[in-house]
């Protein structure tokens, strides 16, 4: 699925993307500082919020739980397709983590529930040549991760946040959560996961944003 499949309202999407690309060219919000997540909970240039701001590309897919489906394939021994009932039948995982958006807000102590990425990896059994993971959303959005990072012990396919189902505006019924990176790596409205050998930068990564996206190293832009 190519990132150009995104079907946002054209005027809104074009203006938003142009604005964010201008941020990248200008290095907006960069402080030039690094931090250590072991000692610095808030990454450089971030501010705390108690709210959960809504950011998207102008479309919020309406995918009812009984129509949601996830396909996982590529370089794996056991491809799977899960509907929501199948996801809920897998071992459930709970984790509390902070999230950090490249637009400079951070929110502490988010309580997530879902299926851990480590469990998914155990189920599909990536082949030895698999080194990267590509995430696809129902809105056509694409982002990329190194397999080793996708397998971190606090990453999951989340269906609940702070004890409630994740709402449509925040990427429900299921979204990915990758706490160690800026939130654009945590794809919303999850539709497909591909295990691949070679890296394939996604929507924002091909538009001036950093390929790795570590907040403590201020990897906002490429």
């Amino acid at each position: 699925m190519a990132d150009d499949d995104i079907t946002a309202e054209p005027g809104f999407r074009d203006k938003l993307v142009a604005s964010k690309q201008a941020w990248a060219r200008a290095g907006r919000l960069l402080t030039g500082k690094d931090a250590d997540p072991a000692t610095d909970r808030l990454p450089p240039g971030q501010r705390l919020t108690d709210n959960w701001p809504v950011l998207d590309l102008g479309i919020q897919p309406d995918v009812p739980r009984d129509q949601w489906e996830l396909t996982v394939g590529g370089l794996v021994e056991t491809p799977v397709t899960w509907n929501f009932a199948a996801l809920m039948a897998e071992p459930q995982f709970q984790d509390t983590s902070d999230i950090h958006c490249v637009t400079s807000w951070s929110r502490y102590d988010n309580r997530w529930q879902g299926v851990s990425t480590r469990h998914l990896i155990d189920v599909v059994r990536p082949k030895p040549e698999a080194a990267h993971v590509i995430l696809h959303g129902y809105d056509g959005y694409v982002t990329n991760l190194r397999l080793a990072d996708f397998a971190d012990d606090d990453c999951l396919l989340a269906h609940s946040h702070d004890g409630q189902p994740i709402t449509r505006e925040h990427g429900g019924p299921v979204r990915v959560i990758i706490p160690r990176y800026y939130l654009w790596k945590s794809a919303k409205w999850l539709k497909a996961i591909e295990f691949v050998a070679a890296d394939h930068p996604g929507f924002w990564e091909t538009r001036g944003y950093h390929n790795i996206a570590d907040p403590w190293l201020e990897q906002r832009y490429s």
Side-chain angles (χ1 to χ4, degrees), residues 34-220:
D34 291 348
D36 182 353
T39 56
D40 302 300
R41 188 174 184 182
L42 190 67
Q46 297 293 108
R47 57 178 175 77
L48 282 179
T49 181
D50 292 328
N51 299 319
W52 190 3
V54 176
L55 296 171
D56 53 55
L57 287 168
I59 184 171
Q60 296 176 357
D62 187 5
V63 186
R65 284 188 168 193
D66 61 1
Q67 296 179 27
W68 177 82
E69 190 172 82
L70 170 68
T71 59
V72 185
L75 295 174
V76 297
E77 298 291 346
T78 311
V80 298
T81 299
W82 286 343
N83 60 19
F84 196 81
L87 180 83
M88 296 300 292
E90 298 295 325
Q92 296 296 294
F93 172 72
Q94 297 186 46
D95 187 67
T96 299
S97 62
D98 303 339
I99 52 177
H100 310 287
C101 181
V102 71
T103 60
S104 82
W105 60 265
S106 294
R107 189 180 191 274
Y108 286 169
D109 296 324
N110 300 272
R111 293 181 292 112
W112 307 104
Q113 183 175 352
V115 173
S116 74
T117 57
R118 285 190 173 184
H119 174 71
L120 175 68
I121 288 167
D122 287 343
V123 169
V124 300
R125 297 184 295 143
K127 296 180 179 180
E129 60 267 34
H132 301 271
V133 176
I134 311 300
L135 308 176
H136 300 267
Y138 272 88
D139 59 343
Y141 182 76
V142 178
T143 192
N144 57 313
L145 292 160
R146 296 175 294 200
L147 174 54
D149 296 334
F150 183 71
D152 276 353
D153 61 8
D154 58 358
C155 297
L156 72 158
L157 317 183
H159 57 71
S160 297
H161 174 263
D162 287 352
Q164 299 295 324
I166 295 177
T167 61
R168 173 184 175 186
E169 65 184 356
H170 287 300
V174 179
R175 68 171 298 163
V176 179
I177 295 297
I178 310 292
R180 71 175 291 180
Y181 291 141
Y182 286 120
L183 202 55
W184 88 74
K185 292 290 189 179
S186 297
K188 298 193 283 188
W189 307 293
L190 183 64
K191 181 179 183 180
I193 301 173
E194 292 180 88
F195 289 78
V196 297
D199 192 20
H200 297 284
F203 184 84
W204 287 119
E205 294 84 8
T206 59
R207 288 166 171 81
Y209 284 72
H210 202 281
N211 201 48
I212 305 301
D214 187 325
W216 287 271
L217 300 179
E218 271 206 314
Q219 292 177 338
R220 299 180 191 272

